[in-house]
């Protein structure tokens, strides 16, 4: 076989892989089956954000947790049963919220077009729409046509969702496991420009980093002192702090300049400065327009992880239980 035709075949293989990996998602999948679907998601999401400014952070993180465990298949929404401890009840689920909003949207969609719109698509769309409210425009494209999975296991959430104590090697590996690049890792970490973190996810950096009652030297000392005044002791697992102090309700690119001042909250944030390639991408994201564009593209890739399409899975009737 000639070199050229070999390369051609190789490209075909990659194309085919691309198809299995979310290529079957489409723009406006519900155009004929439920034309009002995207509008209904947007309206109910906007209504809820209007009374709960913390919601975009909840829905964005929910989408991330959904996609990293079994693909974006709505498995994060399933309740545990007598037989099964679901993702929701895994340790990294702490403070996952917004389930009531997903249910409100689903209830309306089931009235308008029963059995058509997947819970997985609702999660992807409402994450986008909630972040978009402050801009009054659609911030990134969400392809649709995901179907819902039937399995949700707490153990898988523990294994697949990166821990805030991870170093760069582990983070890169955990994203690579989902076919995401170092660029995706850095760009998507910028989601920490909104929302809050519980003290117990970074307390070790304030009080006992190496077991000698010391602080993490890679954490800004001034900032560490501020954090110690909020998180009073090592066992505090109830207090939360803003991840992007002062603008934790605003989606902007502050995460990156803050990171450069060594004020990333988690070890997993600080870790992005420990690798040359990642650090270079952090520098690029100091431009806010660049960040918004890249964030949309990485969200699209994240939203395609392991999706079920065609006849796979099901369209759940109620998002918290399999049919
Ligand atoms: C790179 C690996 C990541 C790690 C280790 C990580 C870890 C965490 C942790 C520990 C929290 C705090 C949860 C709490 O205390 O309640 C958090 C919050 C959050 N994460 Fe991440 N995360 C990562 C990536 C992402 C990605 C890719 C997204 C979305 C695209 C995301 C979106 C969020 C949001 C919006 C919050 C705030 C949630 C709230 O306010 O309730 N994170 N993350
Ligand atoms: C638990 O598992 C058994 C056998 O696998 C099944 O018959 C039963 O319906 C399950 N119960 C629930 C609540 O899912
Ligand atoms: C998270 O899991 C704990 C048990 O580990 C459970 O009590 C809690 O209700 C879960 N949170 C959500 C939002 O489901
Ligand atoms: C938001 O955008 C819509 C249409 O794009 C426009 O009609 C509306 O006035 C805008 N609202 C605000 C508050 O700017
Ligand atoms: C990263 O963390 C893993 C697991 O804790 C550890 O095995 C590895 O040695 C660490 N790598 C570096 C470069 O610190
Ligand atoms: C990546 O996936 C492999 C194979 O499933 C697994 O053994 C490994 O623990 C995963 N690594 C991370 C960091 O998630
Ligand atoms: C700090 O860590 C060391 C070693 O793990 C432990 O012996 C010590 O009790 C810790 N200090 C506090 C205040 O928890
Ligand atoms: C640690 O801080 C929390 C929250 O401020 C408080 O409820 C708890 O009593 C403190 N525990 C200790 C051992 O000081
Ligand atoms: C917080 O810590 C207390 C005491 O260490 C523990 O009993 C409780 O289960 C913890 N809560 C959570 C949500 O982890
Ligand atoms: C630590 O933060 C302060 C602002 O709070 C900043 O002036 C300083 O440059 C930062 N230090 C480092 C090493 O980035």
């Amino acid at each position: 076989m000639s070199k050229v035709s070999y390369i051609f075949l190789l490209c075909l293989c990659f194309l085919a892989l691309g198809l299995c990996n979310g290529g079957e998602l489409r723009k406006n999948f519900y155009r004929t089956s439920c034309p009002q679907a995207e509008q209904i998601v947007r309206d109910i999401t906007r209504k809820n954000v209007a009374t709960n400014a913390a919601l975009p952070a909840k829905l964005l993180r929910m989408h991330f947790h959904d996609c990293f465990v079994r693909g974006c298949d709505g498995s994060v929404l399933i309740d545990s049963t007598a037989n099964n401890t679901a993702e929701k009840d895994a340790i990294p689920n702490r403070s996952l919220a917004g389930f009531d909003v997903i249910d409100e949207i689903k209830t309306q969609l089931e009235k308008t077009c029963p059995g058509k719109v997947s819970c997985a698509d609702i999660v992807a769309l409402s994450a986008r729409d909630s972040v978009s409210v402050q801009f009054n425009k659609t911030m990134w494209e969400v392809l649709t046509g995901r179907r819902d999975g039937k399995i949700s296991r707490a153990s898988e959430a523990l294994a697949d969702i990166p821990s805030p104590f991870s170093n760069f090697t582990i983070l890169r590996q955990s994203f690579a496991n989902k076919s995401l690049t170092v660029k995706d890792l850095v760009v998507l970490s910028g989601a920490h420009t909104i929302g809050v973190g519980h003290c117990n996810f970074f307390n070790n950096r304030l009080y006992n980093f190496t077991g000698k009652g010391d602080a993490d030297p890679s954490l800004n000392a001034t900032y560490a002192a501020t954090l110690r005044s909020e998180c009073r002791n090592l066992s505090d697992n109830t207090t939360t702090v803003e991840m992007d102090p002062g603008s934790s309700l605003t989606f902007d690119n502050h995460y990156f300049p803050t990171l450069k001042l060594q004020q990333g909250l988690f070890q997993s944030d600080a870790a992005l400065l420990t690798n040359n390639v990642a650090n270079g991408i952090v520098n690029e994201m100091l431009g806010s327009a660049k960040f918004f564009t890249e964030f949309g593209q990485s969200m699209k890739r994240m939203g395609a992880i392991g999706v079920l399409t065609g006849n796979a899975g099901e369209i759940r009737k109620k998002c918290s239980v399999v049919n």
Side-chain angles (χ1 to χ4, degrees), residues 158-192:
L158 262 182
D160 288 1
I161 292 173
S163 135
F165 305 102
S166 309
N167 58 33
F168 182 79
T169 315
I170 297 287
L171 290 172
R172 176 172 49 198
Q173 171 82 69
S174 106
F175 273 62
N177 275 358
K178 306 294 167 192
S179 304
L180 295 181
T181 63
V182 167
K183 187 169 192 179
D184 295 321
L185 164 63
V186 173
V187 168
L188 292 174
S189 293
H192 289 174

Side-chain angles (χ1 to χ4, degrees), residues 176-244:
N177 275 358
K178 306 294 167 192
S179 304
L180 295 181
T181 63
V182 167
K183 187 169 192 179
D184 295 321
L185 164 63
V186 173
V187 168
L188 292 174
S189 293
H192 289 174
T193 179
I194 49 174
V196 295
H198 283 78
C199 293
N200 53 309
F201 290 129
F202 56 87
N203 253 340
N204 63 322
R205 307 183 74 199
L206 310 180
Y207 291 109
N208 206 5
F209 193 60
T210 65
K212 295 178 192 150
D214 51 345
D216 180 347
S218 75
L219 178 64
N220 187 307
T222 316
Y223 187 49
T226 307
L227 289 173
R228 275 192 294 269
S229 74
E230 300 179 83
C231 303
R232 303 309 292 262
N233 62 58
L234 262 172
S235 49
D236 179 353
N237 60 9
T238 51
T239 309
T240 57
V241 308
E242 296 175 283
M243 295 197 288
D244 173 10

Side-chain angles (χ1 to χ4, degrees), residues 57-298:
K58 309 299 177 199
L59 293 177
L60 188 55
R61 182 163 180 246
M62 182 192 288
H63 186 32
F64 164 52
H65 280 219
D66 188 28
C67 293
F68 264 60
V69 189
R70 288 192 168 263
C72 318
D73 67 343
S75 55
V76 71
L77 306 169
I78 296 175
D79 283 341
S80 293
T81 60
N83 285 341
N84 178 55
T85 308
E87 288 166 35
K88 259 186 189 174
D89 289 315
I91 290 163
N93 85 347
R94 273 217 53 172
S95 79
L96 278 185
F99 296 106
D100 54 332
V101 177
I102 302 295
D103 288 344
E104 185 184 344
I105 294 168
K106 179 64 171 172
T107 301
Q108 183 56 51
L109 285 172
E110 286 302 296
K111 275 186 201 146
T112 310
C113 19
K116 295 296 183 203
V117 183
S118 71
C119 298
D121 276 342
I122 296 174
V123 171
L125 289 166
S126 65
R128 188 267 313 270
D129 292 341
S130 62
V131 169
S132 298
V133 170
Q134 76 172 89
F135 300 97
N136 195 29
K137 68 170 189 192
T138 301
M139 288 303 280
W140 61 87
E141 181 175 83
V142 172
L143 302 181
T144 42
R146 294 171 191 78
R147 290 171 62 89
D148 297 324
K150 301 180 186 181
I151 297 169
S152 178
R153 295 205 180 99
S155 57
E156 293 178 345
L158 262 182
D160 288 1
I161 292 173
S163 135
F165 305 102
S166 309
N167 58 33
F168 182 79
T169 315
I170 297 287
L171 290 172
R172 176 172 49 198
Q173 171 82 69
S174 106
F175 273 62
N177 275 358
K178 306 294 167 192
S179 304
L180 295 181
T181 63
V182 167
K183 187 169 192 179
D184 295 321
L185 164 63
V186 173
V187 168
L188 292 174
S189 293
H192 289 174
T193 179
I194 49 174
V196 295
H198 283 78
C199 293
N200 53 309
F201 290 129
F202 56 87
N203 253 340
N204 63 322
R205 307 183 74 199
L206 310 180
Y207 291 109
N208 206 5
F209 193 60
T210 65
K212 295 178 192 150
D214 51 345
D216 180 347
S218 75
L219 178 64
N220 187 307
T222 316
Y223 187 49
T226 307
L227 289 173
R228 275 192 294 269
S229 74
E230 300 179 83
C231 303
R232 303 309 292 262
N233 62 58
L234 262 172
S235 49
D236 179 353
N237 60 9
T238 51
T239 309
T240 57
V241 308
E242 296 175 283
M243 295 197 288
D244 173 10
S247 75
S248 69
L249 296 176
T250 310
F251 193 88
D252 51 31
N253 80 329
H254 287 180
Y255 174 81
F256 296 101
T258 301
L259 200 56
K260 296 297 273 188
L261 292 173
Q262 303 198 323
Q263 296 180 6
L265 193 58
F266 304 131
Q267 280 168 263
S268 56
D269 297 316
L272 303 179
L273 301 178
T274 65
N275 171 273
N276 278 338
V277 175
N279 188 43
I281 300 164
V282 170
N283 291 339
E284 285 179 48
M285 296 309 126
L286 296 173
S288 141
K290 175 82 172 158
F291 168 59
F292 288 156
T293 308
E294 293 292 343
F295 191 77
Q297 287 169 7
S298 288

